[in-house]
């Protein structure tokens, strides 16, 4: 079974540019989550999709962040325009149910310079 | 305000000895706790969990203890092995059961041969 795939693994962009991160969950997993870890701190929740619907987006930092999940399959997280404080590792996770079977992807390391 | 705290950024133990990683939380509504292990350049991997109705859960070399009155949990690894060297994250979930996880900052465990 393929795991959660994230692309790209690394991205370096200049402040003010736009970056789009992609996550392909495990097939059949209705629940998809985005998290972020900044500067070696805690991993923070960003949002939760159930199929194509946003179930909880309370962790999204501001309106520069836009997440979508087309057709309930893969998800994208767009940052526009990027700021220096957006640097960090963005993790995606998927699960078949709310709490169980959580599987994380390897993350996308975003560096804004 | 950080609801899940891992106050020890790092821990070093000798191979074969016990590793004890600690975690404190502030929200009494949390009803499920998990430990994740993370290697460099990889996503967090589920290790062990415990429901708030229990005070101990064991899986092979790994045991998690929960003290609800103290809002404290700990992960015991016995015996520790060099392959256990990683960052360990404590995570908690609220009673809403949305699948949203609140993580601590992580503790880097080094097991010396």
């Amino acid at each position: 079974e393929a795991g959660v795939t994230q692309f790209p693994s690394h991205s370096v962009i200049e402040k003010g540019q736009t970056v789009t991160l992609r996550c392909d969950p495990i097939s059949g997993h209705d629940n998809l989550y985005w998290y972020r870890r900044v500067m070696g701190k805690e991993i923070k929740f960003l949002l939760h999709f159930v199929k194509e619907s946003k179930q909880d987006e309370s962790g999204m930092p501001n309106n520069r962040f836009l997440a979508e999940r087309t057709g309930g399959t893969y998800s994208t997280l767009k940052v526009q325009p990027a700021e220096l404080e957006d640097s960090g590792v963005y993790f995606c996770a998927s699960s078949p149910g709310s709490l169980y079977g959580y599987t994380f992807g390897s993350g996308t390391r975003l560096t804004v310079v | 305000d950080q609801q899940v705290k891992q106050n020890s950024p790092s821990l070093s133990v000798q191979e074969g000895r016990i590793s004890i990683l600690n975690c404190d939380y502030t929200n009494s509504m949390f009803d499920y706790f998990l430990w994740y292990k993370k290697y460099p350049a990889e996503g967090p991997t589920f290790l062990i969990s415990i429901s708030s109705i229990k005070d101990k859960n064991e899986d092979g070399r790994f045991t998690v203890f929960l003290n609800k009155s103290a809002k404290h949990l700990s992960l015991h690894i016995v015996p520790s092995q060099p392959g256990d060297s990683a960052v360990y994250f404590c995570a908690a979930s609220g009673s809403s059961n949305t699948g949203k996880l609140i993580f601590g900052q992580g503790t880097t465990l080094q097991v010396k041969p």
Side-chain angles (χ1 to χ4, degrees):
Chain A
E1 178 183 73
V4 177
T5 305
Q6 292 188 244
F7 181 84
S9 57
H10 293 85
S11 180
V12 180
I13 63 171
E14 293 185 351
K15 176 182 172 180
Q17 288 186 322
T18 297
V19 63
T20 300
L21 313 181
R22 173 169 169 147
C23 170
D24 286 77
I26 291 174
S27 178
H29 281 195
D30 287 340
N31 294 274
L32 186 149
Y33 308 85
W34 284 98
Y35 289 84
R36 178 174 74 170
R37 190 182 189 206
V38 174
M39 291 281 291
K41 295 185 178 179
E42 73 271 24
I43 300 171
K44 279 194 171 181
F45 169 84
L46 295 178
L47 86 160
H48 171 204
F49 283 100
V50 177
K51 296 184 179 178
E52 69 275 9
S53 299
K54 292 176 185 175
Q55 183 78 9
D56 180 355
E57 50 184 330
S58 61
M60 295 289 263
N62 51 61
N63 59 10
R64 295 186 293 104
F65 289 74
L66 175 64
E68 295 180 324
R69 190 178 182 191
T70 307
T73 55
Y74 70 92
S75 175
T76 57
L77 180 64
K78 180 189 287 188
V79 184
Q80 179 182 28
E83 299 289 343
L84 298 178
E85 64 264 25
D86 300 333
S87 296
V89 182
Y90 290 77
F91 292 105
C92 174
S94 71
S95 77
S98 292
L99 274 180
Y100 304 98
Y102 248 82
T103 302
F104 280 85
S106 297
T108 294
R109 180 173 293 277
L110 174 65
T111 304
V112 183
V113 297
Chain B
D1 180 36
Q2 197 168 348
Q3 300 184 70
V4 177
K5 294 181 181 179
Q6 294 175 254
N7 292 316
S8 297
S10 63
L11 174 68
S12 182
V13 301
Q14 207 66 36
E15 180 179 7
R17 308 294 285 268
I18 184 171
S19 295
I20 300 176
L21 296 96
N22 294 302
C23 178
D24 296 294
Y25 62 95
T26 57
N27 191 338
S28 58
M29 297 300 289
F30 288 148
D31 63 356
Y32 201 74
F33 303 89
L34 308 91
W35 283 94
Y36 282 84
K37 176 179 177 180
K38 184 186 175 305
Y39 292 118
E42 294 184 10
T45 303
F46 171 75
L47 194 55
I48 192 169
S49 63
I50 188 167
S51 166
S52 60
I53 62 173
K54 296 186 176 182
D55 56 15
K56 177 183 175 181
N57 188 26
E58 191 172 354
D59 184 2
R61 297 186 297 114
F62 303 91
T63 303
V64 55
F65 296 92
L66 175 62
N67 182 335
K68 282 191 295 182
S69 61
K71 294 190 179 68
H72 177 84
L73 65 157
S74 61
L75 174 67
H76 292 211
I77 306 174
V78 182
S80 301
Q81 298 173 354
D84 296 330
S85 298
V87 180
Y88 288 78
F89 290 95
C90 169
S93 180
S95 58
S96 61
N97 198 26
T98 63
K100 172 181 176 180
L101 295 178
I102 310 298
F103 283 88
Q105 310 96 304
T107 296
T108 300
L109 173 66
Q110 182 185 26
V111 180
K112 298 179 178 179

